[in-house]
Amino acid sequence: MPELKAIDATEAAKELIRDLKKEHGDLIFHQSGGCCDGSSPMCLKEGTMIIGDADVKLGEIEGVPFYMHRRQYEYWKHTSLTLDVVEGIGGMFSVEGPRGVRFHIRSEPIDSTESS
């Protein structure tokens, strides 16, 4: 399973992750790209989801690994992704749900003329 450095986070997202780690212990992020996920990744207790060959590790945020299903990654691999927090209800298994907020992905196209 390849690991990329393709995800960043706002300070609000990092702060929420730190709080959630204190409450729930080790966590993972996963974004499947299924019909209902849109731009809301799931933040889950580590061990509650099997990560497999179809998942790409985009990196870690505050020590929490962030995975995306390979098919979803194919759509977004030419964008810069930032994890943020917005008000609202997220996925029903995502641990931030009871707080009235949800994680949200913001994407910006990568300028192909920029140098690496």
Side-chain angles (χ1 to χ4, degrees), residues 25-64:
D26 292 336
L27 303 169
I28 65 165
F29 281 100
H30 189 270
Q31 185 155 353
S32 70
C35 68
C36 302
D37 288 334
S39 55
S40 295
M42 300 280 284
C43 183
L44 306 164
K45 291 180 185 181
E46 188 174 42
T48 59
M49 180 175 184
I50 296 172
I51 300 299
D53 292 339
D55 298 303
V56 177
K57 185 176 181 186
L58 300 183
E60 294 188 3
I61 303 167
E62 296 295 311
V64 177

